[in-house]
Amino acid sequence: MVESPPKQSAQQLPAPRERNAVRAGGLVFSIGVLLLVVVASIAIGAKPLALGDVWHGLFHASGTGNDVIIQDVRVPRTILGVLVGAALGLSGAVMQGLTRNPLAKPGILGVNAGAAAAVVSAISFFGITSLTGYVWFSFAGAGVVSVLVYILGGSRGATPVRLALAGTAMTAALYGYVNAVQLMDSAALERIRFWTVGSLASADMEIIGKVWPFIAVGVVLALLIARPLNAMEMGEDTAKALGAHLTRTRVLAMVAVTLLCGAATAACGPIVFIGLMVPHLVRTITGPDMRWILPYAAVLSPVLLLGSDVIGRVVARPSELQVGIVTALVGGPVFIHLVRRRKMAQL
């Protein structure tokens, strides 16, 4: 008589379901934290505002006093912070999934360098001085460099290693060009200095209107390739066996990163460590599943960006520290910790 295989216990069966329930609960909690940080971003600044003033400015604005501060300054700044934070977090998560390297960052494709080169060219050679004027140059530079990196990386035969090497080479060359132009043109140096630090201070609805469509398309593309990226993390042969289209996934990933990181850089300048830290830390909560890493990164990255922006406004009152400086100060020690922990894990 053939014995039937033992049935799994009731405690074992719902394990994946329970894990997903915990992840979903954590995502809801993260959204709640984001809402609290959004309120703090609107209420806290050079001039502290009570919650009653915030409520009045949001829903009963009269166009005077505190209402103007909320409607014209803090609300656009907060909206842009949410958009840029989500864009940087998603682009970092996609890059880490594409390269199978948890310490990869969005700028590895040369997107930031391309944007910086285009901005300094616009300022020095075309006399463009306003952020709304050179935002298109920044975005175009990011897009052109991404295409060049893809071509140099081998086009259809591109691999994560080739793309990373091509991006590193382009970044070095373009930043050399940026430094050379700034040395020869002191006016360009003065104008681009604020942009290269990374800041939300120049946010307005016009800039938001220009970048949000690109970020929206990038978000959709990033979420659509979550499953293929999961397959690719198991190796190319396994991914092919599972039906993943490697070339298409790489192209869509590069397009998503270019749209997300390019738009964020165009609006605020290069803000470091957000796209590196948050996706890496999210993995400790979600595990390696990109279907959960991407939405978590899209929610928690704005928390870090807006939180850093609030800190920058508080510590230097009545002036402020740019958010790019604060994220660098926070991100440096965290990055060192991540690298040391990774080295210890490999020993």
Side-chain angles (χ1 to χ4, degrees):
M1 180 176 178
V2 179
E3 294 183 359
S4 59
K7 294 182 180 180
Q8 291 180 305
S9 66
Q11 187 176 2
Q12 291 176 320
L13 283 175
R17 187 177 302 173
E18 289 178 359
R19 192 180 308 120
N20 286 335
V22 171
R23 290 167 173 167
L27 186 59
V28 172
F29 176 77
S30 300
I31 294 172
V33 173
L34 176 58
L35 293 176
L36 291 176
V37 175
V38 165
V39 173
S41 177
I42 298 174
I44 300 173
K47 180 180 180 180
L49 299 176
L51 289 180
D53 294 330
V54 173
W55 181 268
H56 187 276
L58 290 175
F59 302 106
H60 307 285
S62 59
T64 59
N66 294 334
D67 296 345
V68 175
I69 296 175
I70 292 173
Q71 291 286 341
D72 296 344
V73 178
R74 295 191 184 175
V75 168
R77 185 170 184 155
T78 301
I79 293 174
L80 187 62
V82 171
L83 291 174
V84 168
L88 293 174
L90 277 173
S91 60
V94 170
M95 277 306 306
Q96 291 175 12
L98 179 65
T99 60
R100 301 196 296 274
N101 180 2
L103 295 180
K105 58 182 181 179
I108 200 172
L109 291 181
V111 174
N112 290 347
V119 169
V120 77
S121 298
I123 293 172
S124 183
F125 302 127
F126 299 100
I128 296 175
T129 59
S130 67
L131 180 60
T132 54
Y134 57 66
V135 65
W136 293 114
F137 283 87
S138 175
F139 191 81
V144 169
V145 169
S146 294
V147 173
L148 290 176
V149 167
Y150 181 67
I151 294 172
L152 292 174
S155 299
R156 291 182 177 274
T159 64
V161 174
R162 288 180 180 178
L163 291 174
L165 290 175
T168 301
M170 287 294 296
T171 296
L174 289 171
Y175 275 128
Y177 165 78
V178 169
N179 292 332
V181 172
Q182 291 182 96
L183 287 174
M184 293 185 295
D185 187 347
S186 58
L189 173 61
E190 186 65 26
R191 292 167 186 163
I192 200 174
R193 184 175 59 183
F194 184 79
W195 181 84
T196 55
V197 171
S199 174
L200 296 172
S202 299
D204 58 37
M205 297 309 296
E206 184 178 0
I207 293 173
I208 293 171
K210 288 181 177 180
V211 300
W212 81 261
F214 298 102
I215 293 177
V217 174
V219 168
V220 172
L221 288 178
L223 296 177
L224 286 176
I225 60 174
R227 287 181 181 273
L229 287 176
N230 273 344
M232 289 179 66
E233 286 198 346
M234 293 185 286
E236 294 188 2
D237 293 336
T238 303
K240 289 179 182 178
L242 292 173
H245 195 295
L246 300 185
T247 300
R248 182 175 60 195
T249 301
R250 290 191 184 113
V251 170
L252 291 177
M254 289 192 64
V255 171
V257 170
T258 301
L259 291 172
L260 292 168
C261 192
T265 304
C268 301
I271 298 176
V272 297
F273 288 114
I274 298 287
L276 170 63
M277 283 193 300
V278 176
H280 188 83
L281 294 175
V282 161
R283 282 184 173 82
T284 63
I285 304 172
T286 65
D289 193 340
M290 295 297 292
R291 294 173 299 176
W292 287 100
I293 291 174
L294 292 174
Y296 262 90
V299 173
L300 291 179
S301 294
V303 171
L304 177 58
L305 184 62
L306 287 177
S308 299
D309 189 44
V310 170
I311 292 172
R313 287 184 248 170
V314 171
V315 297
R317 283 177 176 166
S319 184
E320 68 176 67
L321 285 178
Q322 282 74 26
V323 67
I325 296 175
V326 180
T327 56
L329 292 174
V330 173
V334 173
F335 180 71
I336 293 172
H337 170 70
L338 294 177
V339 172
R340 286 179 60 84
R341 191 175 68 175
R342 185 173 173 83
K343 288 179 64 177
M344 292 298 296
Q346 292 174 347
L347 294 178

